[in-house]
């Protein structure tokens, strides 16, 4: 059986996403955090997958149609840590040894 690739959430680092957040998004690197949303302008069509860890929905939370509300990956992370204290959206999907750091 062929193993499907896993992708990393650019917000929280969870590395078991089923889809690349954006069709042509490169691997996580400092350069991706220098870009501003909407990220689909940089990397193409979003996956609309919701990260089971932080809850980011790619293509929605970072491109809601209102430029002043578009959340960068860094801003979404800060809000998630501040408001939800890093609580998992779907705790049943949390790997046993997972650590935000």
């Amino acid at each position: 059986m062929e193993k499907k690739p896993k992708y990393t959430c650019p917000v929280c680092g969870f590395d078991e996403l089923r889809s690349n957040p954006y069709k042509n998004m490169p691997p996580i690197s400092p350069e991706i955090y220098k870009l501003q949303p909407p990220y689909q302008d940089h990397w193409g069509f979003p996956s609309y997958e919701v990260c089971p860890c932080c809850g980011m929905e790619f293509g929605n939370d970072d491109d809601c149609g209102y430029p002043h509300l578009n959340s960068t990956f860094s801003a979404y992370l800060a809000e998630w840590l501040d408001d939800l204290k890093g609580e998992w959206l779907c705790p049943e999907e949390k790997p046993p040894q997972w650590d935000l750091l």
Side-chain angles (χ1 to χ4, degrees):
M1 179 184 274
E2 185 178 329
K3 189 174 181 179
K4 290 191 172 191
K6 300 289 183 175
Y7 299 92
T8 302
C9 175
V11 174
C12 66
F14 177 64
D15 61 358
E16 294 186 28
L17 295 177
R18 292 179 287 281
S19 303
N20 200 4
Y22 288 86
K23 183 176 179 174
N24 300 311
M25 185 176 169
I28 305 297
S29 70
E31 287 73 39
I32 71 166
Y33 299 100
K34 295 176 184 175
L35 300 173
Q36 293 295 310
Y39 295 119
Q40 66 187 14
D41 291 351
H42 306 287
W43 303 312
F45 198 72
S47 67
Y48 292 101
E49 181 176 0
V50 176
C51 177
C53 178
C54 67
M56 173 71 146
E57 181 179 4
F58 305 101
N60 186 26
D61 291 321
D62 50 354
D63 184 15
C64 61
Y66 301 98
H68 65 286
L69 296 177
N70 290 345
S71 183
T72 63
F73 297 143
S74 300
Y76 191 94
L77 175 63
E79 184 178 326
W80 175 62
L81 291 173
D82 188 46
D83 293 349
L84 299 174
K85 308 299 182 241
E87 291 295 319
W88 274 65
L89 177 67
C90 301
E92 67 278 3
E93 293 190 40
K94 182 178 180 181
Q97 302 301 320
W98 193 86
D99 184 341
L100 180 62
L101 299 177

